[in-house]
Amino acid sequence: MTVSHYNHKTIEEKWQGYWFDQKIFQVNEKSPKPVFYCLEMFPYPSGKIHMGHVRNYTLGDVIARYKKMQGFEVLHPIGWDAFGLPAENAAIERKVHPSYWTKENIDHMRIQLKRIGLSYDWEREINTSSPDFYRWNQWFFLKMYDKGLAYKKRSPVNWCPSCETVLANEQVIEGACWRCDQAVEQKELEQWFFKITAFAEELLQGCNELKGWPERVLTMQRNWIGKSVGVEVNFPLVEFDDAIRVFTTRPDTLYGATFISLAPDHPMVEKIIQGKPEAQRVEGFVKRVKNQDKKLRTADELEKEGVFTGSYALNPLTQKPIPIWVANFVLMEYGTGAIMAVPAHDQRDFEFARKYKLPIRVVIQDPKKLLRADQMDKAYTEETGELIESESFTGLSPSQAQEKIALFLDDQNLGKQTINYRLRDWGISRQRYWGTPIPILYCDNCGVVPVPYDQLPVKLPLNPLLTGTGKSPLSEDKDFLRAQCPKCHQGATRETDTMDTFVDSSWYFLRYLSPKMDHGPFDANKANRWMPVHQYIGGIEHAVLHLLYARFFTRVTRDFGLLREGEPFSNLLTQGMVVKESYFCPQHGYLFPKEVSQGNKCSKCQQPIEIGRIEKMSKSKKNVIEPDDLIKKYGADTSRLFSLFAAPPEKDLEWNDQGVEGAFRFLQKIHRMVNQFQELKTQKEEVGEKPTQTLPSSDMERGLYRKTHQTIKKVTEDIERDFHFNTAVAALMEFSNAISQYLSQKKEKDEETDLGVLSLAIKTLVILLNPFAPHLSEEMWQLLGNPPSVNQVSWPTFQKEALQEDLITIVIQINGKLRVKIDLPPDTHEDEVKKRVLQNTKVKDFVEGKSIKKLIYVPKRLVNIVI
């Protein structure tokens, strides 16, 4: 029997061409089927697809193909997050236009994605750097401007000196730029903002409704929004007719406030140090601290630092003067940028007070132990006990005092109850060329004037002067700058900042619904049919940045009357990274394998290297696996199968060459098995035998029939149950082994195969394989004599009655001697087995009049009664 060779290259090219030509995955908008919108986060066109992309997109592809076979009309689009600084930097370096570099990368990556065999509707492909797309960024901006949700103000911003642009708070990771890892500085600039804070409470409450999101992501979003309920209290300045406004969640400790701590960039600092001997010292401290990583400044382990301003404020309840300090752990981003320090009842304030010998005043007494300020070794932070030294509030519990003191402050105009959020408005201005121009004009007569809607898009100039300096390249283009004011028709100048590229990704999933529409961003009727996205897939690194902005944008769009829904994504899957063992030389850093000599030494310096660092795949770590090379050697189906089988989707996938080989061998086995079956089937049909659908009669046939339905049940449940694709693939491997075992046993016994049972098993295996290895599945489906495409075949269903195992025989021994056998279902519980044994008539005869000392049960085999 001759079996054709598994030529993955020919098979995969054949079926990719077929899917494209026949528009197998193109959406039918008129279909009466229920809809399912499956989406992976779209890629930045950097030039090459990496294995992280392969894993991400394969996960989505399995879901999309599975849902299509289940009878859904599936929308599974792709596009390009094409604006951004890397293209601009590449253009400067290569002396080419960013659009040229971007297009070249997109063309290459499109080919790569098609080679993976992804079920995209390519008719809906979008490119965010196209005027057809970014025109609607500008449209959204103008709508928000009209509603007061887009505004401009001067404010301190995060400035990346390497990228030479502004970063949103969310784009600063541990004090460094999220893209280039350069330390971020603070800078004062005029910036445009989106008023995301107007939706803070709704975004927070919306987290409770996202049942299909990982709790880890929801926790990160809740923490970023950072809601705090408390009181704003005014502390009058001693030397100035002014006050410092403080936000506190613990008004019950107000009598214990012994100093105030200000953020280094608090606007009051400059005022209260004027003419003070401490001024120069304060200014030096402020300059040093302002550029430090804000996350590290507030970390528990960081040393608390501060400097006295020389000024005092009055505690509004005690009317006693307390010193005003500037401290490194206070941030303007939270509350009012000023805190009342209560060292007896806040550990951070306690450490600060001890370090700088500031007074500590106990105002809540521990019910278990008498607290004395001079004997405390840490703050008492519990909200139990009662207030002391607090005038008329003495004796109250902390919870009682919080309410009563808050009411008192409000009644005396000393403060007010309020809610604060950590969330700050989204700064969208960027000093770049390669982004969406902000559609604003500046007129000497009319001031700030929005560009009229009918003049959109404001296009990027074709020949920018890209220098890499911090000044926006658009400000150097005189033709772009010159405009006419639509109000007074006099000369005006254009805004030269461009939008943060996260604006693009905040609504791109809506543009897929109407990618060619030219009279609006998307069709509202289609959006209300397809939205929210049923399944979204992407990295956990976007938990705060992209996902929060998308939730905000969707709510804004809803309020414009274009959507019914306020949430963009019903279900979210955050996949783990692809990681690989790296080689590290202390002198030369990360090495490619070819740079490692015998004895695990660096070939450059012969120093011993460190092996086994499991790192995220990256060029800098020199541990990348190129998908093109992998697909060329093993095929796309092998790449897909390994990425699905090696780890659960939410866990990191550790690269393993043996695992890739194993996936390839499995596919070869499927190819060989189906070919062998088809030859066997052809031989039998030549003598008049055809597969029948009658129920199996022998034990071997029943076993294979049962395994077929068990596998359908297992694979279906694993896909539905949190996308356990790894165990679903394992079940397919086990099923293929069962088919092989059936064939080999038949051959050994020289028995005729039941063509009907075997045909059902083979057909089921090929269908179930389709979401995971679609090219081979298509080829084998056609080989079995079926018309293409298997993607249009219904997903199989299992029969409950077929799942039940045959009866098993339980041997019953009495004092070790075989006396009787009984047949029971294999899933019978141990207690039921013992009960049935003792009820057996023959057993009763043997044990009558005797005492049973012990009853030993060997599961599914025997029961030994010791009498």
Side-chain angles (χ1 to χ4, degrees):
M1 186 178 290
T2 304
V3 177
S4 63
H5 174 65
Y6 172 40
N7 188 330
H8 59 78
K9 184 176 185 295
T10 301
I11 291 172
E12 290 174 359
E13 287 179 355
K14 168 186 172 181
W15 289 106
Q16 287 164 17
Y18 177 84
W19 297 331
F20 185 80
D21 293 341
Q22 299 299 316
K23 304 184 187 309
I24 295 295
F25 304 113
Q26 188 170 324
V27 172
N28 178 7
E29 291 284 6
K30 296 180 180 179
S31 170
K33 297 177 182 179
V35 299
F36 189 89
Y37 189 174
C38 182
L39 184 64
E40 304 94 59
M41 295 179 185
F42 65 166
Y44 178 77
S46 58
K48 285 189 176 181
I49 294 294
H50 54 67
M51 287 310 300
H53 286 127
V54 173
R55 189 185 192 199
N56 183 28
Y57 303 143
T58 301
L59 291 172
D61 196 54
V62 171
I63 298 167
R65 289 175 180 272
Y66 169 72
K67 287 295 182 180
K68 184 176 180 65
M69 296 174 76
Q70 277 201 319
F72 288 86
E73 188 65 35
V74 175
L75 172 59
H76 189 209
I78 189 64
W80 310 98
D81 192 9
F83 270 143
L85 196 60
E88 195 159 326
N89 290 340
I92 295 169
E93 181 182 338
R94 295 170 173 79
K95 293 181 171 46
V96 296
H97 196 279
S99 63
Y100 174 82
W101 185 83
T102 301
K103 181 184 182 302
E104 194 175 57
N105 288 346
I106 287 175
D107 289 344
H108 180 68
M109 292 173 73
R110 187 188 297 111
I111 292 170
Q112 289 184 298
L113 289 180
K114 287 183 177 180
R115 281 180 185 153
I116 300 170
L118 303 168
S119 58
Y120 291 137
D121 181 352
W122 286 98
E123 293 291 317
R124 294 172 182 261
E125 181 181 1
I126 62 173
N127 177 338
T128 62
S129 66
S130 165
D132 291 341
F133 181 91
Y134 72 69
R135 165 190 184 181
W136 303 110
N137 284 352
Q138 296 169 346
W139 184 91
F140 277 116
F141 178 95
L142 294 177
K143 285 284 186 183
M144 287 197 225
Y145 183 81
D146 292 342
K147 299 287 187 182
L149 294 173
Y151 66 94
K152 192 174 190 181
K153 70 172 182 179
R154 188 170 185 82
S155 69
V157 295
N158 303 305
W159 178 262
C160 174
S162 175
C163 297
E164 296 186 304
T165 191
V166 172
L167 303 174
N169 289 338
E170 296 90 337
Q171 294 166 319
V172 180
I173 311 299
E174 296 184 355
C177 172
W178 72 290
R179 190 177 291 279
C180 72
D181 291 329
Q182 177 75 22
V184 171
E185 301 172 354
Q186 295 295 301
K187 195 171 185 178
E188 284 271 342
L189 285 177
E190 286 276 340
Q191 297 287 291
W192 283 97
F193 290 84
F194 283 157
K195 201 170 185 179
I196 191 174
T197 53
F199 293 82
E201 185 62 27
E202 189 181 344
L203 290 167
L204 183 64
Q205 294 305 318
C207 291
N208 300 328
E209 302 167 10
L210 295 171
K211 306 302 182 184
W213 283 41
E215 188 56 39
R216 178 185 174 193
V217 174
L218 295 175
T219 298
M220 293 169 74
Q221 293 230 342
R222 289 186 182 107
N223 290 342
W224 190 261
I225 296 167
K227 180 179 180 180
S228 298
V229 179
V231 178
E232 284 188 356
V233 188
N234 292 321
F235 283 71
L237 295 174
V238 172
E239 301 176 69
F240 303 91
D241 184 18
D242 208 339
I244 291 176
R245 191 161 45 92
V246 167
F247 174 77
T248 178
T249 58
R250 294 292 305 274
D252 54 311
T253 66
L254 189 50
Y255 283 92
T258 58
F259 61 98
I260 285 177
S261 297
L262 299 179
D265 48 347
H266 193 288
M268 196 67 79
V269 171
E270 187 177 352
K271 178 176 181 177
I272 63 176
I273 65 172
Q274 286 183 4
K276 300 286 184 182
E278 294 86 356
Q280 189 172 354
R281 188 165 172 237
V282 173
E283 288 169 353
F285 177 82
V286 167
K287 184 176 181 181
R288 176 170 63 87
V289 173
K290 275 174 67 174
N291 286 329
Q292 291 179 350
D293 180 1
K294 293 178 181 178
K295 284 188 179 178
L296 291 178
R297 278 170 52 188
T298 56
D300 291 338
E301 61 272 14
L302 184 75
E303 182 183 1
K304 312 302 179 284
E305 292 185 274
V307 60
F308 177 45
T309 64
S311 292
Y312 292 82
L314 293 178
N315 183 314
L317 295 187
T318 67
Q319 289 299 304
K320 293 180 179 178
I322 58 176
I324 303 171
W325 285 65
V326 178
N328 64 339
F329 55 83
V330 186
L331 304 179
M332 276 305 298
E333 283 77 9
Y334 181 75
T336 63
I339 64 171
M340 64 177 207
V342 185
H345 305 292
D346 182 277
Q347 185 60 31
R348 188 176 52 188
D349 295 341
F350 180 85
E351 294 171 12
F352 194 88
R354 281 280 189 256
K355 178 175 180 177
Y356 293 106
K357 297 181 174 53
L358 295 167
I360 299 174
R361 189 168 187 248
V362 177
V363 291
I364 299 177
Q365 190 55 252
D366 185 349
K368 300 176 183 177
K369 173 186 175 184
L370 181 65
L371 297 176
R372 290 173 55 95
D374 59 344
Q375 296 176 359
M376 294 174 70
D377 57 3
K378 64 178 181 178
Y380 177 67
T381 58
E382 303 296 323
E383 295 188 40
T384 56
E386 62 179 36
L387 267 66
I388 62 173
E389 303 290 334
S390 300
E391 297 180 350
S392 63
F393 303 103
T394 296
L396 296 177
S397 68
S399 60
Q400 291 172 328
Q402 285 176 19
E403 182 179 353
K404 290 185 178 296
I405 291 177
L407 290 171
F408 177 79
L409 291 167
D410 191 57
D411 185 61
Q412 299 297 313
N413 291 321
L414 299 172
K416 63 177 180 178
Q417 297 185 62
T418 188
I419 295 173
N420 261 318
Y421 297 92
R422 181 174 178 263
L423 182 67
R424 288 292 176 263
D425 283 339
W426 174 11
I428 65 159
S429 291
R430 298 294 181 268
Q431 292 67 46
R432 304 171 181 163
Y433 165 74
W434 197 233
T436 300
I438 295 175
I440 289 291
L441 302 173
Y442 299 99
C443 173
D444 291 339
N445 298 324
C446 307
V448 177
V449 181
V451 173
Y453 287 94
D454 61 8
Q455 292 183 17
L456 299 181
V458 177
K459 292 186 179 181
L460 289 168
L462 295 177
N463 298 301
L465 179 64
L466 302 178
T467 63
T469 61
K471 200 171 183 180
S472 171
L474 297 181
S475 65
E476 302 297 321
D477 191 309
K478 293 179 181 178
D479 291 335
F480 175 82
L481 274 176
R482 283 195 295 265
Q484 185 184 72
C485 175
K487 290 184 176 181
C488 69
H489 305 292
Q490 298 300 308
T493 58
R494 295 191 185 278
E495 171 63 67
T496 59
D497 283 352
T498 54
M499 295 185 199
D500 181 8
T501 54
F502 277 99
V503 173
D504 304 326
S505 57
S506 293
W507 73 280
Y508 78 105
F509 42 88
L510 292 166
R511 186 62 180 173
Y512 282 137
L513 307 177
S514 320
K516 296 177 175 62
M517 184 170 169
D518 62 1
H519 57 278
F522 57 88
D523 185 303
N525 291 327
K526 291 180 180 179
N528 288 323
R529 183 188 184 209
W530 288 99
M531 290 293 292
V533 173
H534 297 87
Q535 185 62 60
Y536 199 39
I537 303 119
I540 189 73
E541 66 271 17
H542 298 294
V544 170
L545 289 151
H546 158 58
L547 291 173
L548 188 63
Y549 293 154
R551 294 182 64 216
F552 158 66
F553 233 85
T554 305
R555 281 166 166 76
V556 170
T557 306
R558 174 205 61 196
D559 289 354
F560 291 163
L562 296 176
L563 280 176
R564 283 196 299 263
E565 298 290 340
E567 290 291 349
F569 315 119
S570 294
N571 298 285
L572 174 68
L573 171 62
T574 52
Q575 89 281 358
M577 297 184 296
V578 179
V579 297
K580 191 177 185 293
E581 189 175 69
S582 294
Y583 305 96
F584 185 79
C585 170
Q587 181 175 342
H588 292 100
Y590 289 95
L591 307 174
F592 287 114
K594 64 184 179 182
E595 297 171 330
V596 179
S597 62
Q598 285 188 340
N600 293 330
K601 292 182 179 180
C602 173
S603 60
K604 300 174 183 178
C605 64
Q606 294 303 306
Q607 292 293 314
I609 63 170
E610 182 181 336
I611 301 177
R613 287 190 177 200
I614 303 301
E615 306 273 5
K616 177 183 177 181
M617 277 193 183
S618 69
K619 291 179 182 177
S620 63
K621 303 289 193 306
K622 297 187 176 183
N623 62 357
V624 292
I625 299 292
E626 295 290 350
D628 287 355
D629 296 339
L630 195 70
I631 290 171
K632 183 178 180 180
K633 184 175 181 181
Y634 295 105
D637 281 347
T638 297
S639 305
R640 292 168 60 106
L641 203 69
F642 171 74
S643 71
L644 295 166
F645 178 63
E650 71 279 4
K651 302 293 184 184
D652 287 350
L653 186 160
E654 186 174 337
W655 189 262
N656 183 299
D657 292 336
Q658 288 73 35
V660 177
E661 290 278 0
F664 185 58
R665 285 195 300 272
F666 170 64
L667 295 178
Q668 287 177 308
K669 178 181 179 180
I670 299 291
H671 183 268
R672 184 169 58 251
M673 183 189 300
V674 176
N675 273 273
Q676 288 173 341
F677 165 77
Q678 189 58 24
E679 288 197 18
L680 177 65
K681 178 184 169 189
T682 301
Q683 291 172 4
K684 287 182 175 288
E685 287 176 345
E686 287 174 353
V687 296
E689 183 180 340
K690 292 186 178 181
T692 62
Q693 295 301 316
T694 57
L695 291 175
S697 55
S698 71
D699 288 346
M700 287 178 63
E701 270 70 39
R702 281 198 300 272
L704 183 58
Y705 184 75
R706 183 169 54 248
K707 189 65 176 178
T708 299
H709 286 275
Q710 287 174 341
T711 305
I712 295 171
K713 181 175 185 291
K714 172 67 174 169
V715 174
T716 303
E717 289 178 349
D718 282 351
I719 293 176
E720 294 282 359
R721 180 177 57 91
D722 298 327
F723 310 122
H724 286 192
F725 301 140
N726 56 320
T727 53
V729 173
L732 292 175
M733 292 177 173
E734 187 179 318
F735 185 31
S736 72
N737 289 338
I739 297 173
S740 294
Q741 188 176 17
Y742 170 83
L743 289 169
S744 61
Q745 286 177 346
K746 284 290 184 180
K747 186 176 181 181
E748 286 174 11
K749 296 181 179 182
D750 197 25
E751 295 180 359
E752 288 293 315
T753 57
D754 185 322
L755 208 57
V757 171
L758 182 57
S759 178
L760 176 65
I762 292 287
K763 177 182 175 182
T764 301
L765 176 61
V766 169
I767 295 173
L768 295 180
L769 184 67
N770 179 59
F772 309 97
H775 307 89
L776 180 61
S777 174
E778 287 277 28
E779 185 72 7
M780 297 301 95
W781 184 251
Q782 188 181 58
L783 178 67
L784 292 172
N786 302 300
S789 156
V790 71
N791 292 282
Q792 296 169 320
V793 174
S794 296
W795 187 258
T797 56
F798 62 87
Q799 297 176 11
K800 289 184 179 179
E801 59 272 18
L803 301 175
Q804 182 64 51
E805 297 276 358
D806 291 338
L807 296 178
I808 58 172
T809 300
I810 302 292
V811 172
I812 302 173
Q813 298 176 339
I814 297 178
N815 287 348
K817 292 184 178 180
L818 172 64
R819 296 302 185 185
V820 68
K821 297 178 182 179
I822 62 173
D823 291 330
L824 294 173
D827 57 353
T828 306
H829 190 273
E830 179 180 349
D831 293 341
E832 180 64 20
V833 172
K834 292 177 180 179
K835 179 181 175 182
R836 298 278 288 276
V837 167
L838 294 175
Q839 288 175 343
N840 183 274
T841 304
K842 291 184 179 180
V843 172
K844 285 182 178 180
D845 292 341
F846 276 109
V847 300
E848 186 176 1
K850 301 179 178 64
S851 61
I852 298 176
K853 292 184 177 181
K854 192 182 295 185
L855 197 149
I856 303 167
Y857 174 56
V858 179
K860 297 186 179 182
R861 291 183 59 190
L862 66 84
V863 174
N864 185 25
I865 303 172
V866 181
I867 59 174

